[in-house]
Amino acid sequence: MTVSNAKAIFIWGTVVSAVIFLALTYDFHRKVGMQTHEMKLDERVVAGKWVWQKYNCNDCHTILGIGGYYAPDVTKVMSYRDRDWMSRFIKDPPSVWPAERRMPNLHLTDQEISDVINFLTWVNGIDTNNWPPKPMALVASQALPKPGEAVFKAQGCSACHMLGGVGGTIGPDLTKVGSRRSKEWIEEQLKDPKAHNPNSIMPSYAKLSEKDREDLADYLSGLK
Amino acid sequence: MKYETQKIAYNYFVVATLLFGLQVIFGLITGAKYVWDHDPLINILPFNTSRAIHINLLVVWLLFGFMGGTYYLVPEESETEIWSPKLANIQLILFASVGVAAIAGYLFGWSWGMPFLEQPTILKVGIVVVALMFLFNILKTMMKTKRWTVIQGVLLGGLVMLAGMFIFGIFFVKNLTTQYYYWWWVIHLWVEGAWELVAGSIMAFILLKLTGVDREIVEKWLYVEVGLVLFTGIAGTGHHYYWIGTPYYWLWVGGIFSALEPVPILFMVIDTLRDVRERKVEIENRTALFWAVGCAVMHFFGAGVWGFAHTLPQINKWTHGTQITASHGHFAFFGAYAMLNLTLIYFAVPKLKGIKTLKSALSLSALRLMVFSMFLMVLALAVAGIVQVYLQRILGMDYLSTQGFMTLWYAVFWVCAWGFASGVVLYIIDFFSMGKTAKS
Ligand code: HEM
Ligand code: HEM
Ligand SMILES: [Fe+2]
């Protein structure tokens, strides 16, 4: 091979790849609006994106799978957390989720908290080609999750309670809670933990809808 | 050393060496936060801040090294002095000041908030000014004699591409997907594009000088290698466009092109070994030679093998954004670019200091300790990553519980990191004693 052959490889290799890449970039711009439902990208969402950047959340958390690996990926967080939990959590993380590895209180203003939640809600709607993937074990077992299970996840009960070997140790293990507590008792516990223990540090879930609380109690009392 | 202005490079290497040490200190701090979940520094130096400082220092010390290398290489290739040594020195001070401002800013919570590109916009403008001063000076120098060697052309192309890509990381974009689309034009098209050109050219120069093989052979291979790097690497950017809100066809384009990325890296290893085997002169600087061969091999494992391992979408779907990525990130940056800069320093500094034959036992201990420790570090992270993928992504365990099961491997990583840090200490001692025993 001569130097001029080598040079041709260099030039053509670069040009071909760049042309493909730029053509696809053009196509990306045509499609990105649909795939990220840009019509819902309002100014509150943009403000929230800036909050996300300003506090450098991204060097602890991944989003779209990119960033620091120290904290949960937040791409789809709004599909299992509700707005109310989010604002309470960001306002004071350790009290809502007293884990050992914790998120610092970054002292966001109420407006900033609301904006960043709008942002994460918008991100939740991005079509990510089905990433993150559904856990294989869950897909395989085909088990339909009980409605109460979703509430349990969304409310972050596992921050304090162990269930099936997973979760925190601040409250009692709930793996077999149904064998010692009735459905009514659990509903009472959720509405007003202080009714059973005046010094309880478990937060009250009185704000949950009647249905959510019932589903939750139904689910837990069935764990025997 | 043939030209007086090549000496400019030395100060760049000094700054690079110091920042390398600092980078590793911040690595140890960041890593400790994984080993002990309870973080006593949470309100002073939380994880995001220490991580930002760790990875910014990394990029900055490597850039200082590249710039120093350029100031060393261009006079010899152009056969003339640097156009303005004064501008080069001002540029060094300006760049260092921007760096200090950025890090001080992070400590006070001043951030732009995209990984690697955390520098606030005004500092980014400063970086652009530094880049323009640098490119202008280099271009002016090259224009003096217009000796367009391939080594010099590829170097210039790489540097222009490096500066040009940075522009795509400056603007705030409303749509996060679009923001990340262009973020990768900086991050990916740097390490798998522009930087490979710069590194390839510097390595070709060093091999040429060390082994005395024909320039024509070196330059021919340089063309082929960087040609394949760009052919696979440009469209290969698609391996970052699988899951960020981009069309599905990227799984095909990104998968196919990026799977070919290890090919030119393998060529570089073969090329290096062949140059050494067919050397025309006795190699005087054995130390630089060891570093050069080590770099070629580690580049291949860190970028080529570790990169290939998770680049296909069927695998990346499970590993994306886990410690597998961190394992590869460390291995590739160390093998491809940290080692290149150290090779360059061990090649150039003895010449700048008038040392004829370099055979530094200390340097070789540093080399062995760094390579061995880094290998164990990335293995530990890879195991942590496999545990993570299995428990979290396959079994569906929640994030924090999974992290609990990974702690052991974080601890192994962190202990080995101290071994790595010891290697860096040996290197720093050796670097500064090369200065001292100068004229002996
Ligand atoms: C004492 C040695 C070191 C320790 C303890 C260390 C530790 C760490 C930690 C804990 C992170 C954060 C990862 C995360 O977000 O979860 C990190 C990131 C990173 N470090 Fe290091 N590091 C060390 C040395 C190095 C060296 C020598 C290099 C390169 C030459 C390097 C390159 C990187 C890169 C590229 C990232 C970003 C990784 C990614 O985004 O995937 N580190 N390091
Ligand atoms: C040449 C030097 C290279 C360096 C310095 C490097 C560095 C990195 C870094 C730091 C990241 C993490 C970025 C982030 O999300 O923060 C990364 C990601 C990645 N790299 Fe490389 N890389 C190199 C070459 C390669 C090659 C040749 C391949 C493929 C063959 C590859 C495949 C990947 C993939 C697939 C990811 C995405 C990981 C994920 O999905 O989380 N890399 N690289
Ligand atoms: Fe890449």
Side-chain angles (χ1 to χ4, degrees), chain B residues 188-247:
Chain B
H188 169 96
L189 287 175
W190 267 6
V191 297
E192 287 152 78
W195 289 31
E196 287 280 16
L197 267 62
V198 176
S201 150
I202 291 177
M203 192 55 117
F205 175 78
I206 293 175
L207 288 172
L208 180 70
K209 302 284 158 160
L210 274 183
T211 64
V213 291
D214 282 349
R215 178 179 276 271
E216 199 179 304
I217 295 178
V218 170
E219 297 202 324
K220 189 170 74 182
W221 279 100
L222 180 59
Y223 258 146
V224 173
E225 284 155 9
V226 297
L228 291 179
V229 162
L230 291 178
F231 176 69
T232 58
I234 295 176
T237 314
H239 65 181
H240 303 295
Y241 296 162
Y242 301 153
W243 327 115
I244 65 166
T246 29

Side-chain angles (χ1 to χ4, degrees), chain A residues 59 67-70, chain B residues 20 23-24 27-28 30-31 34 47 51 54-55 58 116 323 325-326 329-330 333-334 338 374 377 413-414 417 420-421:
Chain A
D59 264 321
Y69 313 116
Y70 183 71
Chain B
F20 181 27
Q23 183 221 340
V24 169
L28 288 170
T30 315
Y34 272 117
F47 184 92
R51 182 186 197 263
H54 175 58
I55 59 183
L58 165 68
F116 291 95
Q323 291 297 336
T325 310
H330 278 90
F333 256 109
F334 174 70
M374 181 53 80
M377 282 164 70
F413 166 74
W414 199 71
F420 185 85

Side-chain angles (χ1 to χ4, degrees), chain B residues 99-158:
Chain B
V100 170
I103 287 164
Y106 300 153
L107 292 172
F108 290 99
W110 192 31
S111 172
W112 193 68
M114 295 292 288
F116 291 95
L117 300 178
E118 294 92 346
Q119 315 75 252
T121 307
I122 180 154
L123 296 183
K124 288 210 179 72
V125 173
I127 295 169
V128 170
V129 172
V130 170
L132 288 176
M133 285 164 74
F134 173 67
L135 288 177
F136 185 70
N137 208 353
I138 294 304
L139 203 61
K140 274 290 198 189
T141 310
M142 292 180 178
M143 294 303 283
K144 283 208 285 188
T145 55
K146 300 209 177 70
R147 275 187 88 250
W148 296 116
T149 65
V150 177
I151 287 180
Q152 180 146 273
V154 169
L155 179 64
L156 182 64

Side-chain angles (χ1 to χ4, degrees), chain A residues 28-41:
Chain A
F28 160 75
H29 278 286
R30 284 182 33 214
K31 296 191 172 140
V32 66
M34 276 300 285
Q35 203 168 340
T36 62
H37 60 117
E38 233 170 34
M39 60 282 183
K40 290 196 188 144
L41 208 173

